[in-house]
Amino acid sequence: MTRRGIELIQGTLEFLVLETLGDGEPRHGFAILRFIGEATGGALTIEEGALYPALHRMERRGWLASEWGLSESNRKAKYYSLTAAGEAQLAKEKAGWAEYVQAVDRVMAAAGARAG
Amino acid sequence: MSRPRGVRRFFRLRPRRDWVEDSVDLEIQHHIDSKIDELVARGVPTDEARRVAEDAFGDLSRYRAACIAEQKREVRMTWWREVFGGVVGNVRWAVRGLSRSPGYVVAIVLTLGLGIGANTAIFTVVDALMLRPVSFERPEELQQIMPSYDDYLLSFFDPETAQLWAREASFLSPMSMYAREAGLRTDGAEPQTLTVVGLSPGSTDILGVAPVLGRSFNRDDAIPGAGGVALVSQSFWISEWGSETDPIGRELTLDGRSYEVVGVMPRKFHYPTFGRTDVWVPLADDMTMLGRSARQIQIVFRADPEGVDALTERMKALVAGWKERDPKVVWTPELSALNQPRVNPDVRRNVWVTFGAVAILLLVALVNGINLTIARGTTRVREIGIRLALGGGRGRIARQLLTESLVLALFSGIVAVGLALLGVDALSALAPRELTYLGTGTIDVDGRVIAFAGVLTVTVGFLFGLLPALRTVKVARATSGTSLSVYGATTGGRHRLRAALVVAQVAMSLVLLFGAALLGRSFATLVASDPGFEPDGLARLEFTMAPSIYPTGEARTAMVTRVMDRLRGLPGVRSVALSGGLPPNAGISFGNAIYVAGRAEPVVEGDVFLPMTTGGPNLRATLGTALIAGRDFLPSDDPAARIALVSEPFARVLAERPELAVGKRFRIDDGVEWEVTGVIEDLKLMGLDERFGDFGMISLMGDPSRMRSWASIAVRYEGDPALVFGEMRSAMREIDALQPIRALGTLDDALWESVDKPRFFLTLMAVFAGVALSLAGIGLYGVLSFAVNQRRREMGIRLALGANVRDVRTFVMRRGLRMAVGGAVIGVGVALWMARLLEAMLFETSSWDLPTLVAVMTVMLGIASLASWVPARRATRVDPVEVLKSD
């Protein structure tokens, strides 16, 4: 597999993780990666190992809670889920992201209008 | 569980015990394995799948390390949060509980506060005198050169030798030299004799202390003839001129010369450490200061502690060379580090004994605290029993109880520091001057003292909290808090424990009481002892004549004669006599042996002390000292004659009977030979305690040209001392208005002052004993009173069944006295054993003094009876009907 697609920056990664877990289903690290990969159709990639420090950091910040369980392949795996604080953070970032996108859109529209 | 081979191989790890790392490894392992599964499912061969999976993961070790770091931080933070939350919770619980028992809180805080406060106050003395390092920079490097003679060590050199050191010992440079002289200051409101220290330039740099204002001395100041500059201490500046004024540039007139203040030294700098030094002038290169040659010069320099031995060898070689040039050099140089405490071993021992006594007081207070807490614990046995039954952890409850004690201890600590501040003020005011000046600075409450108080507070908190906490939990667990069991539990083991503690208290206070009583007896004996002269109606007038005004012996003799003639003419003055020093601090000579003419062997050998003074023909009569044999001095005696009056104990050493001593000639070592003209009664020239032995000698005052600069005049008077002293002062002023009087007072006062040290320690001991005794009494009362309360049912039944009121009272009192007697017996044993420590402080009192022992036991039993009587009376007042109705 070659590495291609857009390299994600750290803040966005955390946002994506929050978003992934937003449906309430606990997932382990590999599942989270797979979800992101499938949802973006492989467009966004990260170095797989980079996910894990992010997960631990988010857990320390209180956005995620973890629990050990048995995975589909009957191995021990660590499952993550959103905490109440995590959900609040998700809502906050979603709003922020929407604003950001809106602002960039407006600039593009203004530039476009100027161009032609 | 075993880790998959791949992971182990990849990480090249040895199996770790750390669960954080295990957990991270497991998580990562799961990812890799899942990836491998996915790839294999897509048809990639297993080996290649593994390679691809690991490759896709990225920098494994870096990510792993990052995860582990995060995890560890999380674990730490959680732990801290729990602990802190636990502590805060405990404190809140403790405060809530304590606010429900204000009486208990007040009792504990006062009792422990008193104990800790007293210890802290005494610690300030211990610290100032013995523990605190000298306030110089790196004091362990400062060394003083001491000339060592055969049997004794001096600390100073004469000017010629000091200059030799300066010139020839450049390997010790830079050196600081200093000398202490008395200077007459005449620019102030009143003429004053000050202690002035001459300092060589650069001394303050060597010591590592900088002036807070202005500058220190430089080389130019040390040029002989220059040096009209001075340094003053901060306290001198503030008390003389006020902190508002600029001291730099002010002029001091010392011994008739003008000195300009060029610098101010910091508040705690009173170098050298003996006495109080407020003014420093330069010590010129020719060892002169204040316009005259300094007589005793001390030398200090800075050296690496490692190289001290080598330096000493070089110094010895140098001095050996001097000895060859001049055979009078009979000493060898030794070094003494400046950071050794220079406290008199007597004083040191006394202070440690006091510290021990106050520690015992703290123990007594602590026991009170423990008893009170145990009693209080009883009332909560129910509450705690329920909590335990509901599943509360033993450890948790014990921790909560301990927190309660620590909170109380904290309040006690605050009270203690407050008490210590007050106490230190009192101590400084009452303490004999020697105590406050001998140390490296002032006695006050500083950071070190507060740290001591803090440590003591925490220790006390633990001690008085731990035992009752464990006890309460144990009892609550055993009884599950039901009321019947409470009853059983308290009259049994619990009471025994508290009773045992009270017995310990009684024992400890008895020890203190015995110590105080012994000191008291000793002091009484000391004060009642016969000084050998008649202090009633005897005064002394002492003054120092400045060499600048009275440069020759004849001038001084003329002045003194004028003064004495004037004094004789005053109404109320019966007789006047001149001496070189009056008791109780007359003067002393010392040596290795005393020889009598005609005997080859010395009559006394070893460290010989001979208290002595000089006087004219009427000194003995003015003092009121009886003549036992021979004759007094006569006006017709040649003033240059070497004749002396000796005291009886000394006479007995010189000859078998005092009468036979008349006419004998004696000398100390190779000194002057004296002839005995008369024997006087035992005159205590150097203090009532005769710590320098019981010899005494008055030699005939010599030739007027050798009159020294200080005069001690004994005046026998009649009538009101205030009037007589007033007239004596006016007489002095008329003769020389600028002549300050160093001392004018009755010899009664002087004697009283001379026993200030034993008086001080006795006062402290008595205070501690009194407080301890009260605490023990309260403790005894508390235990008995509680026991009576617990056994109200039993008392009620007994009374209902017709018991005699007196029997009930006796029953209670017997219990109380049993505890007291038990404590007294143990206390006596310990007291007698520890009395040995006091022996050196006692004057003509044995440490096993029987009457004192009996008196002390009587006092103790008296207090115990009183403390038992009140609960006993209360026991008889129990209403049987009421008691039987309740419960």
Side-chain angles (χ1 to χ4, degrees):
Chain A
M1 198 181 324
T2 55
R3 266 188 250 293
R4 63 191 159 96
I6 309 159
E7 292 282 348
L8 280 182
I9 54 177
Q10 180 184 303
T12 325
L13 172 59
E14 291 184 353
F15 182 31
L16 290 179
V17 169
L18 287 174
E19 198 50 77
T20 305
L21 296 173
D23 63 7
E25 185 187 325
R27 291 182 174 81
H28 52 67
F30 190 71
I32 294 175
L33 264 179
R34 208 174 37 213
F35 183 92
I36 294 177
E38 282 169 10
T40 63
L44 289 180
T45 66
I46 53 164
E47 206 169 43
E48 293 177 5
L51 173 66
Y52 288 92
L55 286 174
H56 283 248
R57 198 165 43 238
M58 292 167 75
E59 185 179 3
R60 187 171 56 76
R61 285 229 198 86
W63 298 339
L64 302 183
S66 68
E67 216 180 17
W68 285 92
L70 278 184
S71 72
E72 316 82 42
S73 45
N74 249 343
R75 293 192 189 92
K76 278 186 82 169
K78 203 171 186 187
Y79 284 82
Y80 293 90
S81 52
L82 278 190
T83 61
E87 284 179 18
Q89 180 69 16
L90 174 60
K92 201 174 89 183
E93 292 212 19
K94 267 217 278 234
W97 182 252
E99 267 179 46
Y100 176 69
V101 165
Q102 234 177 37
V104 172
D105 269 347
R106 270 200 233 108
V107 171
M108 282 180 18
R114 211 185 39 201
Chain B
M1 60 162 276
S2 61
R3 212 166 290 141
R5 282 178 293 120
V7 171
R8 289 259 302 275
R9 187 162 43 96
F10 206 95
F11 294 154
R12 290 172 185 70
L13 280 183
R14 273 163 288 145
R16 285 177 183 272
R17 294 277 136 217
D18 199 323
W19 71 268
V20 165
E21 281 153 347
D22 281 353
S23 127
V24 168
D25 287 338
L26 204 54
E27 197 180 0
I28 292 178
Q29 183 54 42
H30 172 260
H31 179 108
I32 306 260
D33 288 345
S34 307
K35 185 80 181 204
I36 291 176
D37 284 350
E38 206 181 61
L39 290 172
V40 163
R42 281 208 230 121
V44 179
T46 318
D47 284 338
E48 199 188 322
R50 166 154 289 131
R51 214 181 22 84
V52 170
E54 287 166 359
D55 207 32
F57 195 84
D59 187 347
L60 205 144
S61 50
R62 182 164 72 100
Y63 292 133
R64 177 177 177 271
C67 288
I68 289 175
E70 286 289 337
Q71 195 77 340
K72 282 194 165 161
R73 234 159 76 198
E74 164 72 22
V75 165
R76 259 203 313 272
M77 278 177 55
T78 312
W79 186 80
W80 271 114
R81 226 179 294 129
E82 261 183 31
V83 165
F84 189 66
V87 167
V88 167
N90 282 352
V91 169
R92 250 194 251 141
W93 182 87
V95 170
R96 242 198 347 251
L98 288 175
S99 55
R100 271 185 257 131
S101 332
Y104 168 73
V105 170
V106 168
I108 292 275
V109 167
L110 282 183
T111 309
L112 292 184
L114 191 63
I116 299 177
N119 270 272
T120 308
I122 299 295
F123 178 76
T124 58
V125 177
V126 171
D127 192 41
L129 286 188
M130 289 172 282
L131 295 178
R132 195 191 306 163
V134 173
S135 55
F136 304 128
E137 196 184 306
R138 299 191 308 278
E140 65 279 3
E141 290 176 2
L142 293 172
Q143 300 281 348
Q144 177 165 359
I145 309 180
M146 325 270 275
S148 168
Y149 293 78
D150 273 336
D151 286 327
Y152 50 92
L153 197 60
L154 288 185
S155 57
F156 49 81
F157 297 95
D158 59 81
E160 293 74 39
T161 315
Q163 286 180 291
L164 265 184
W165 280 111
R167 273 200 309 270
E168 303 192 12
S170 50
F171 58 91
L172 298 175
S173 279
M175 285 186 276
S176 161
M177 304 204 181
Y178 63 89
R180 183 174 70 145
E181 294 282 329
L184 175 62
R185 176 183 172 225
T186 45
D187 64 277
E190 280 211 7
Q192 227 185 340
T193 311
L194 285 181
T195 304
V196 178
V197 169
L199 267 188
S200 61
S203 291
T204 53
D205 293 330
I206 295 176
L207 295 174
V209 180
V212 294
L213 282 181
R215 68 169 178 87
S216 180
F217 298 143
N218 53 39
R219 286 243 56 89
D220 291 334
D221 298 324
I223 296 175
V229 293
L231 295 173
V232 297
S233 72
Q234 199 164 345
S235 33
F236 182 86
W237 159 41
I238 293 178
S239 65
E240 283 291 314
W241 301 313
S243 54
E244 304 300 304
T245 64
D246 181 12
I248 311 291
R250 281 206 170 239
E251 299 246 316
L252 287 173
T253 312
L254 299 170
D255 276 2
R257 285 181 154 71
S258 187
Y259 293 84
E260 183 191 333
V261 175
V262 295
V264 176
M265 297 306 288
R267 195 164 53 92
K268 293 209 178 173
F269 183 77
H270 289 290
Y271 179 76
T273 52
F274 58 94
R276 264 203 99 84
T277 314
D278 288 308
V279 178
W280 296 265
V281 295
L283 183 67
D285 293 327
D286 60 354
M287 302 299 147
T288 58
M289 60 179 278
L290 293 180
R292 58 181 184 273
S293 182
R295 284 166 301 162
Q296 294 177 348
I297 297 155
Q298 310 206 20
I299 307 180
V300 166
F301 63 92
R302 199 175 267 285
D304 182 1
E306 305 284 308
V308 160
D309 292 329
L311 275 178
T312 314
E313 290 311 310
R314 275 191 81 173
M315 286 163 57
K316 286 191 170 141
L318 183 64
V319 172
W322 295 347
K323 201 192 290 255
E324 279 170 40
R325 296 203 301 253
D326 177 5
K328 285 215 297 287
V329 173
V330 294
W331 48 271
T332 53
E334 268 188 31
L335 289 180
S336 164
L338 225 55
N339 66 348
Q340 303 301 332
R342 304 292 184 86
V343 178
N344 187 339
D346 263 3
V347 170
R348 203 184 308 190
R349 184 200 46 235
N350 291 359
V351 172
W352 281 124
V353 166
T354 310
F355 196 57
V358 84
I360 293 180
L361 174 63
L362 180 61
L363 282 179
V364 173
L366 189 61
V367 168
N368 254 11
I370 293 178
N371 265 346
L372 280 171
T373 310
I374 290 181
R376 181 157 176 270
T378 318
T379 63
R380 301 151 93 189
V381 164
R382 185 174 236 143
E383 169 204 337
I384 294 179
I386 292 176
R387 280 178 67 183
L388 285 171
L390 291 179
R394 259 182 310 156
R396 177 122 205 278
I397 294 177
R399 267 203 310 274
Q400 282 187 318
L401 291 173
L402 199 57
T403 310
E404 207 179 66
S405 311
L406 285 173
V407 167
L408 275 177
L410 180 63
F411 286 130
S412 309
I414 296 174
V415 168
V417 170
L419 284 178
L421 284 168
L422 287 174
V424 163
D425 275 344
L427 274 180
S428 296
L430 295 172
R433 265 171 317 142
E434 245 174 278
L435 230 59
T436 50
Y437 289 163
L438 274 178
T440 58
T442 47
I443 295 179
D444 54 19
V445 176
D446 63 4
R448 292 162 62 96
V449 171
I450 296 198
F452 172 79
V455 168
L456 200 57
T457 303
V458 170
T459 313
V460 163
F462 264 99
L463 286 179
F464 103 90
L466 201 58
L467 184 61
L470 294 177
R471 185 89 200 178
T472 304
V473 170
K474 189 166 110 178
V475 168
R477 198 152 167 270
T479 68
S480 310
T482 57
S483 64
L484 242 86
S485 320
V486 166
Y487 174 71
T490 54
T491 54
R494 189 162 277 233
H495 178 82
R496 265 204 301 276
L497 171 65
R498 294 187 66 201
L501 288 174
V502 166
V503 166
Q505 271 187 314
V506 169
M508 289 190 283
S509 13
L510 198 96
V511 170
L512 286 184
L513 193 60
F514 188 56
L518 276 184
L519 284 180
R521 182 102 196 255
S522 155
F523 184 71
T525 313
L526 182 66
V527 166
S529 61
D530 184 1
F533 60 93
E534 184 52 61
D536 220 1
L538 186 61
R540 62 178 176 165
L541 170 64
E542 294 182 345
F543 53 93
T544 310
M545 291 170 280
S548 52
I549 305 181
Y550 304 97
T552 63
E554 284 88 352
R556 294 191 280 269
T557 310
M559 164 64 167
V560 169
T561 315
R562 252 201 328 271
V563 170
M564 286 172 61
D565 286 338
R566 272 306 297 275
L567 289 179
R568 263 189 218 104
L570 292 176
V573 170
R574 291 289 155 263
S575 85
V576 172
L578 179 63
S579 79
L582 290 172
N585 226 329
I588 188 165
S589 202
F590 52 86
N592 294 324
I594 297 185
Y595 296 89
V596 171
R599 299 222 309 244
E601 289 302 309
V603 291
V604 184
E605 251 191 310
D607 278 328
V608 174
F609 293 106
L610 178 53
M612 59 173 288
T613 185
T614 60
N618 53 351
L619 179 62
R620 183 203 62 82
T622 309
L623 284 178
T625 306
L627 185 68
I628 296 179
R631 64 165 181 84
D632 197 349
F633 300 139
L634 295 172
S636 54
D637 282 328
D638 173 12
R642 303 276 196 218
I643 51 177
L645 301 171
V646 298
S647 68
E648 198 192 327
F650 191 25
R652 279 186 203 282
V653 160
L654 297 175
E656 298 90 55
R657 289 203 313 275
E659 311 84 70
L660 299 179
V662 179
K664 288 262 191 269
R665 292 200 297 276
F666 68 91
R667 67 176 200 283
I668 301 180
D669 297 339
D670 292 321
V672 165
E673 199 177 65
W674 298 94
E675 181 182 330
V676 177
T677 53
V679 177
I680 52 179
E681 66 174 304
D682 183 8
L683 177 61
K684 304 201 164 93
L685 285 169
M686 286 299 284
L688 288 172
D689 58 3
E690 293 188 310
R691 63 187 178 282
F692 293 110
D694 56 1
F695 292 171
M697 167 182 151
I698 304 180
S699 58
L700 180 62
M701 205 138 210
D703 128 41
S705 65
R706 292 206 330 263
M707 174 80 203
R708 288 180 302 188
S709 46
W710 67 79
S712 254
I713 301 180
V715 178
R716 187 157 286 285
Y717 66 91
E718 263 170 20
D720 183 6
L723 288 176
V724 179
F725 291 177
E727 288 177 6
M728 285 165 71
R729 247 187 270 273
S730 321
M732 280 292 292
R733 258 202 303 274
E734 280 170 47
I735 296 179
D736 181 353
L738 291 182
Q739 177 60 50
I741 297 178
R742 201 175 69 228
L744 172 58
T746 63
L747 247 65
D748 237 346
D749 288 342
L751 280 178
W752 186 241
E753 248 180 60
S754 75
V755 295
D756 58 358
K757 276 215 297 291
R759 195 176 58 232
F760 178 65
F761 288 109
L762 168 62
T763 312
L764 284 182
M765 219 26 154
V767 166
F768 296 156
V771 173
L773 206 55
S774 318
L775 287 176
I778 293 174
L780 181 58
Y781 164 81
V783 169
L784 270 184
S785 164
F786 195 80
V788 162
N789 232 6
Q790 293 303 112
R791 300 177 74 129
R792 289 174 73 232
R793 228 162 151 262
E794 183 184 329
M795 305 288 172
I797 293 176
R798 282 184 184 225
L799 286 171
L801 290 180
N804 205 327
V805 161
R806 211 161 39 120
D807 287 342
V808 170
R809 226 186 2 238
T810 318
F811 172 70
V812 175
M813 288 209 59
R814 238 203 347 247
R815 297 181 73 103
L817 287 176
R818 231 192 358 232
M819 284 191 271
V821 167
V825 166
I826 298 177
V828 162
V830 175
L832 287 177
W833 179 71
M834 289 180 77
R836 285 176 310 146
L837 295 171
L838 280 186
E839 248 168 35
M841 290 168 80
L842 298 179
F843 177 75
E844 288 180 11
T845 308
S846 149
S847 60
W848 281 46
D849 195 49
L850 206 52
T852 310
L853 200 55
V854 169
V856 160
M857 301 247 330
T858 313
V859 168
M860 167 61 71
L861 290 175
I863 304 238
S865 307
L866 182 63
S868 313
W869 190 73
V870 177
R873 263 198 66 174
R874 267 233 306 272
T876 67
R877 296 259 182 80
V878 171
D879 182 358
V881 175
E882 217 190 285
V883 159
L884 288 172
K885 272 203 295 196
S886 77
D887 191 50

